[in-house]
Amino acid sequence: MAKKGYMRPPTLLQKPWHFCPGCNHGIAHRLVAEVIDEMGLQNQTVGVGSVGCGVFSYEYFNFDGIGPSHGRSPAVATGVKRVLPDRLVFTYQGDGDLAAIGTTEMVHCAVRGENITIIFINNTLYGMTGGQMAPTTLMGQVTTTSPRGRGREQGLPFRVCEMLATAEGAAYVARVALFNPAQVNRAKKAIRRAFETQMAGLGFSMVEMLSACPTNWGLSPLEALKYVEEKMVPTYPLGEFKVPEGVK
Amino acid sequence: MAKKGYMRPPTLLQKPWHFCPGCNHGIAHRLVAEVIDEMGLQNQTVGVGSVGCGVFSYEYFNFDGIGPSHGRSPAVATGVKRVLPDRLVFTYQGDGDLAAIGTTEMVHCAVRGENITIIFINNTLYGMTGGQMAPTTLMGQVTTTSPRGRGREQGLPFRVCEMLATAEGAAYVARVALFNPAQVNRAKKAIRRAFETQMAGLGFSMVEMLSACPTNWGLSPLEALKYVEEKMVPTYPLGEFKVPEGVK
Amino acid sequence: MKKEFLIAGFGGQGVLSMGLFLAYAGIDEGKKVSYVPSYGAEMRGGTANCLVTISDREISSPLVSDPGVVVVMNQPSLHKFEPVVRPGGVLLINASLAHREAQRQDITSYSIPAQEIANQVGLPRGANMVMLGALLEATEAVDTTATYKYLVKTFRGKHLDKMPLNMAAMEAGAEFIRGCQATSSKTSIA
Amino acid sequence: MKKEFLIAGFGGQGVLSMGLFLAYAGIDEGKKVSYVPSYGAEMRGGTANCLVTISDREISSPLVSDPGVVVVMNQPSLHKFEPVVRPGGVLLINASLAHREAQRQDITSYSIPAQEIANQVGLPRGANMVMLGALLEATEAVDTTATYKYLVKTFRGKHLDKMPLNMAAMEAGAEFIRGCQATSSKTSIA
Amino acid sequence: MSEQILMKGNEAVAEAAIAAGCRYFFGYPITPQSEILEQLARRLPEVGGAYVQAESEVSAINMVFGAAAAGARVMTASSSPGISLMQEGISYIASAELPAVIVNIMRGAPGLGGIHPSQADYFQSVKGGGHGDYKLIVLAPSSVQELIDHTILAFEMAEAYRTPVVIFGDAMMGQMMEPVVIPDIEPLPPNRPWATTGMEGRGPNIVHTLYLPADKLENHCNRLFAKYSEIEHNEKRSVGYLTEDAEILVVAYGIMSRVARAAVEMARDDGIKVGMFRPVTLWPFPDNALQAAARNARVVIAAEISMGQMIEDVRLALGNRVPVVLFNRIGLVPNPDEIYAAIKSKAREVNANG
Amino acid sequence: MSEQILMKGNEAVAEAAIAAGCRYFFGYPITPQSEILEQLARRLPEVGGAYVQAESEVSAINMVFGAAAAGARVMTASSSPGISLMQEGISYIASAELPAVIVNIMRGAPGLGGIHPSQADYFQSVKGGGHGDYKLIVLAPSSVQELIDHTILAFEMAEAYRTPVVIFGDAMMGQMMEPVVIPDIEPLPPNRPWATTGMEGRGPNIVHTLYLPADKLENHCNRLFAKYSEIEHNEKRSVGYLTEDAEILVVAYGIMSRVARAAVEMARDDGIKVGMFRPVTLWPFPDNALQAAARNARVVIAAEISMGQMIEDVRLALGNRVPVVLFNRIGLVPNPDEIYAAIKSKAREVNANG
Amino acid sequence: MFQVNFLEQYCKGCGLCVHFCPKNIIVLAQYTNDQGYNPATINDMTKCTGCALCARMCPHVVIEIVEGGAA
Amino acid sequence: MFQVNFLEQYCKGCGLCVHFCPKNIIVLAQYTNDQGYNPATINDMTKCTGCALCARMCPHVVIEIVEGGAA
Ligand SMILES: Cc1ncc(C[n+]2csc(CCOP(=O)(O)OP(=O)(O)O)c2C)c(N)n1
Ligand SMILES: Cc1ncc(C[n+]2csc(CCOP(=O)(O)OP(=O)(O)O)c2C)c(N)n1
Ligand code: SF4
Ligand code: SF4
Ligand code: SF4
Ligand code: SF4
Ligand code: SF4
Ligand code: SF4
Ligand SMILES: [Mg+2]
Ligand SMILES: [Mg+2]
């Protein structure tokens, strides 16, 4: 961000988005597009979407895209990457998609050290289906399926980065947030490092983004950002959990 | 083992077993039975088997048993435990069953802190189906589906204990081995602690047992034990990864 | 007797609860009732609508393509749903957000400045109640008293203090229709 | 001409490879051939068996319930498979591990101390080759030369040195049968 | 409570399950059935039960397996793609003869499809989406009240026959509200001497599905199918409407049967001799009743929100005695007019052919 | 190589896939198909391809989805329970119109069942085990050589129609060895302008299955089914044997057709007018050819290793013109004698009824 | 001088740009756009420093900022 | 004195008891049992200390050890 001014990244098609007002999915989409453009990879990218509020990613990005079934994006990406090892292959997944139904696929991409990148949007619940509890839901958080607030019976928050970092095959693992411009810049850097990890062939990479869902949290866009900072970050500490030699 | 002598634990039915000569599944079965008898839980136990060489566990144990589909035992055990919260509910699973196809079910039992115990027999491959590579296969190890020895393309060994220990809901997590009598004693203690963790309602517990498969390793029973000690342990270090307060 | 009501607008305009009021009033009158909301992903940020059927007989299909009464709470809904009103039917337009008149000649239509009326009544979030009152007046769909009963049910407990304002909003909507009808002839729909 | 051979024993006794020898010899003679091994979980520690069919015509079903020739390499297999031998067929018993004679009168049977013969030949792991030689001699299943050809194929490369001993084991098996036949009449099976 | 209340189909299923004595629910969110979960997440703890949100549909169906084996009255619900993920588990539950209720609020398909109303999972549940030989009882309610009644019936049947029962809804039925009454029944607690509850006072109970010796497997399948024959004998259900003199017969189930009925009424007003036949159980398919209903039919219209699935069972029931044609729409519940038009055009043909 | 070699059915599938130009395989071990994996794990790296052992069948089918989308010729293989787990993925692949070959070496079922030969997944693949409206081409080879030929054919069809193709084997066919010749063909590399390979020199390619507006979904389904009609028109395959004058017709596929053929030969020796009809494509089912083959039939015997699944398609093809009865065994491939006995008893009936 | 352009019809009036603009020059308009939202707009463009914090935070890529521009 | 009993028909002759017996008194028999394995057996029972290491390692629960016993 040395140069001033700002232009829409060319890999983002100019279309209205279905995201709710203040939804951080939009910021995440934009950052991914910016990094791909900056790395000059538009023509070498295959984006693998998912099912969740990010389901239309392939309609918004201006590069090849796939819409897989719910949770299986890392497996689909594996199929793509084995066929096209020189392409940038990334998945874009929500916490329900990645950390619930898609746990096996995610874990084994990390364990195999599959040379792909996961962009992981953690908004603590199932946004698209109307705000049900997810494995990432905070303790005490009210959702449509934890109407009394998440209690011990409903499990404990799933810290995905911490878990995947234990896999030898995981090369770059970071958790970032999007609640203010500085965090957004950091998030962008993490995406860049993840993609660089992949293009250098160093193995599995993932960037988790703590992300606001004003609609299902019942908060204004601004309150939602504050919620991320004050409520989510203590449960999901930010930072780089693994950085490969070649990318430091 | 203060008292001398040795008698078959009453919860083990007296039948011939299908296990190959020297297979460590037999030792694991025996230890589970011994602990259940020592804790006096025969009538309060529901054993949840799995698909693998341990598939007949419900025919060998003398307590209520369930034979679930491949990999889903932790989900089945969850169903049982929610209905019968005061029972001892444990699963008995191989590395293919638990750490490959059943990854999601395993991880989420740990993440939810489901109050069940997993007995995990890690023999580095799919024994029952004839010795294919598993996520736990050692680097360089030859199996029927890694005929040139497992290489980087085939992924890296999956350290399940280390991964699950990152889950807040995991209360007791230990890795033991069965390659000599001292290890067998330690293994038994770990099973006891896991079951105690469960009966005290402290959350998820798991005991991983490094286990010899002489048949598919192409080794004699004795060589196979040596293989566990010399080849497996360096990749899968033994120890207790998590011990809850109440059980120390 | 079978009447279908389509109510459409942005999510958040109280479109679905207008439908519920109607439906419960129907039940209260001993009628058969069905209610079909729009739902799911396309709701978000987009339009919401519901279709209420009130009938003397068993309702065979809860869906109709040409409802007799249509309420549009915003401009896009007017665009989309004006064409489906059954000939001879009634179209009620929230003129505060839909900035044109109805174009069809074969239906009765009313343009109601619902927001302005709601503001006047002192219930700025009550445009939907204004429209509901207008609807009841314009169509004789169900007895207004039945609607009030449900209103009481809804607001009982800690929100009871909101009752009077809501009733006032409905009444203001009805009054607006009566004003219009003074100048045109009212169409009763079957 | 259609002949079926069932060979049964413990896993590890070379039962499956005996079947392969037969099958390849059949192919070499231009016959139609099929081979069905037992497999899977119940193999482990239990019995292994294979069924080889050699025929002039297309083989409709690779399975038969009453094979003309049965080789049993151990006691449990003798129990299990003596009853299935087609009347008039041949049963070859590895007498080293199956400690009783055949009980049926409507078949030709041979009890062959295969292990002892193999030991004598100097190929202690060659009991299966002894039995194979015996089988070829007792049934005229396929030409022995064809079998030798496959033997050469199998052992070519670094194991060629094992050829002669294997052939000797087969020959010793055949010789044993010839000895028996000197005292009984040989049954040719169709 | 015998008051009429306005209820969404999904909420009705949840309340009916509670009325039927179901205390355990395992499920995963999916539109258009999530309100079943949401309602049960609120309600089950109130009645001493447990709502467990599974991490996937695969897990959900296996949690159901465990809870049913442990003796509980248990349910899961999902929508089309989620039901596909349950196919292995369903085959296991059927083989293990566990009672369980599975609700499928069908949506647009194949693939991700969408959230439209659909009836395109007929083959999956009625013929067999999982591996091997088994049958599921499949109920097809057509109103919110029937969703309630069939949910209660489903639990009864599941328990009587020790078999999984599927309830079919669709996106519209799940979402639409109708006035209903929840019957005030007092179901007995489950009585399952075979359940794996801990073996106090008896020998071990085992629930499994492995039959290695071939004859054991064959016996098992024959036994299962003897039970299925009994179900076929006892449980075929259907509703006919004006079939007596019907020269044209519309066959439709679920929401489509209501549309068909409306169309039949319209056509009857025109003097067309048309009737409707509605299978209530899709398996066992009410073939005899259909044969009777089609006695005078000269053409049969199978009306489905699919590319034609139930039509095969209609044809199997009727043989080639009468032509069976398809009326279908995808992505929506059609208007009665559309079926009415189809009936009219068939009526012209029938008259033309004298 | 045109030399005859003795090969297991499973190995033959693997070698045939390589001959057909398949370079990517994703799969998970399961008896009785694991030799397909094992052979490809050895062989694919030798020919510049990749064998990836998936962590489950769910992952495997989704890896296939990805590899096919990326333009590769790709295969997976499993056995019954594993195929159940693939149902969601298969529905997606069909909807996305991706070419892929799926091998099912069927085993004893339902549930865990066992490792016996079986034909009980007919409904699953032929009618639709996944959600929604789609069809799979299903091939039913009956010998190891045909396993080879059909594997090659499957890749051709998958590519020609952009649709998944299923190959049915069973535990016996997977394990038995027969002499075979692997044809020496030189398949062209896949030509897939629609594949998501990185958009160098063109606009973005998108592979997806979501159709939210109802009319889009309806169009999509209609388009899919127009393609399926074309396949029905072009690809129905079957083999008749002595059907000309057959008063008794045995219908069987796969390994069962060989047993049936042997039984027919035995009965012909007794002078019984019996023939055999063997569907080679199970979908599209060769109904016309079956009607022709059953011209003179007075009874039709559907012979299956299942509780009766294909028999429904036989009945659908033949209507109620001729009685269709089931001969079945479970857990094993029966002996020809058993079918022979069934034929004989039917022959007596037919003669008695004169 | 910077020109901040709003793709007004995409704006959902979330107000994040309003909040994060260090110069406090962005406001939500009184009128609604076709989607029914009050779009963001700038009153006094001269105060803009081109820092692009508004664009960084905008979830709908509504904002583009060019140097020079129309000012 | 200890009596070590072998459930001979269950023994698979794996030899683990032979290896781990600190007294080296267990051997595999020359004959085979019904399963075809050479079962473990003890020649000199008097040397047995009842340590049960053999039983601890036996994967087939073949071995039971009782004090007193037949000796
Ligand atoms: C097999 C299957 N199960 C369930 C669904 C329903 N579903 C669609 S999106 C979604 C969850 C999305 O949540 P998340 O991944 O966290 O994304 P978000 O919308 O929160 O960004 C679910 C459960 C589905 N489409 N497929
Ligand atoms: C869905 C499904 N996929 C695959 C199989 C086949 N299968 C049976 S056991 C097994 C692996 C067993 O390996 P592991 O869990 O490590 O146990 P082990 O035999 O090594 O003790 C597999 C893949 C199956 N039964 N079901
Ligand atoms: S529901 Fe939440 S995550 Fe989904 S678009 Fe709206 S704000 Fe974003
Ligand atoms: S195959 Fe291996 S794990 Fe299975 S019983 Fe034999 S030795 Fe044990
Ligand atoms: S670029 Fe900076 S100063 Fe200018 S409007 Fe945006 S946030 Fe304000
Ligand atoms: S941040 Fe973007 S969407 Fe939000 S108000 Fe500003 S311009 Fe509009
Ligand atoms: S108890 Fe100890 S000393 Fe006795 S036989 Fe066993 S290992 Fe040897
Ligand atoms: S350890 Fe057990 S099975 Fe092995 S040889 Fe000794 S007694 Fe036999
Ligand atoms: Mg989310
Ligand atoms: Mg294993």
Side-chain angles (χ1 to χ4, degrees), chain D residues 126-146:
Chain D
N128 63 333
M129 299 310 285
V130 172
M131 292 300 283
L132 182 63
L135 181 150
L136 293 174
E137 182 63 30
T139 66
E140 292 174 339
V142 284
D143 190 51
T144 309
T145 325

Side-chain angles (χ1 to χ4, degrees), chain G residues 3-70:
Chain G
Q3 174 64 31
V4 183
N5 298 321
F6 292 86
L7 273 168
E8 212 170 69
Q9 69 275 32
Y10 296 176
C11 176
K12 299 212 175 176
C14 70
L16 295 186
C17 56
V18 175
H19 177 81
F20 285 103
C21 172
K23 295 291 160 190
N24 278 317
I25 52 178
I26 313 182
V27 293
L28 297 187
Q30 292 296 336
Y31 58 90
T32 55
N33 63 11
D34 286 355
Q35 295 188 77
Y37 298 110
N38 302 85
T41 181
I42 289 187
N43 290 327
D44 187 354
M45 195 70 78
T46 58
K47 292 205 188 124
C48 174
T49 63
C51 69
L53 295 187
C54 53
R56 287 264 126 238
M57 290 308 291
C58 175
H60 288 89
V61 209
V62 171
I63 306 173
E64 288 192 343
I65 303 154
V66 286
E67 189 140 19

